[in-house]
Amino acid sequence: QLQLVESGGDLVQPGGSLRLSCAASRSSLRYYAIAWFRQAPGKEREGVGCISTSGSSTNYADSVKGRFTILRDNAKSTVYLQMNSLKPEDTAIYYCAAQLTAQAMCTIAPLYDYWGQGTQVTVSS
């Protein structure tokens, strides 16, 4: 059973930056595509972005393109979500999710088997 733990959520001012981490319980994270999702109060969970097993392919939601970047360090079994130019509408609980796959690409559809518990990001002045 793969376990994921997110960290790094915080209160940040609009225009600020934050980096979230998703640490896995196994060193075999390199075989999993990873995605980040978020859910704001009263809204459905939405895909933010994803990264393939090797890190060579990423996809992002239109709402975060150019502002968010996903990176992974397979040696540390950790995936990062770098968030820049944050807006109040980015306020949400952020979750990472993992899917065991042999594919070279990833998806931001919620087709993942393993999920973390989430970390709160609040963007407010």
Side-chain angles (χ1 to χ4, degrees):
Q1 186 78 7
L2 180 70
Q3 293 184 329
L4 304 172
V5 178
E6 303 95 334
S7 62
D10 205 346
L11 170 64
V12 62
Q13 292 187 345
S17 297
L18 207 57
R19 188 178 78 164
L20 306 183
S21 298
C22 172
S25 60
R26 291 182 179 176
S27 61
S28 57
L29 189 66
R30 62 176 62 88
Y31 301 117
Y32 294 80
I34 304 295
W36 286 92
F37 295 83
R38 66 185 181 186
Q39 188 165 20
K43 294 187 177 180
E44 293 186 356
R45 186 174 297 184
E46 66 168 334
V48 173
C50 66
I51 188 165
S52 64
T53 55
S54 67
S56 61
S57 178
T58 55
N59 287 312
Y60 298 95
D62 288 343
S63 58
V64 306
K65 279 181 181 177
R67 300 189 298 123
F68 289 12
T69 303
I70 299 176
L71 300 169
R72 66 187 299 157
D73 185 339
N74 285 337
K76 296 182 178 180
S77 294
T78 302
V79 175
Y80 305 96
L81 176 64
Q82 178 66 43
M83 304 185 294
N84 298 327
S85 302
L86 283 162
K87 305 175 181 180
E89 51 263 43
D90 293 319
T91 295
I93 299 175
Y94 284 71
Y95 302 87
C96 64
Q99 176 66 46
L100 185 65
T101 180
Q103 296 185 11
M105 300 179 69
C106 63
T107 177
I108 57 174
L111 304 175
Y112 289 77
D113 291 333
Y114 303 97
W115 293 77
Q117 83 291 345
T119 186
Q120 176 71 48
V121 172
T122 303
V123 185
S124 176
S125 55

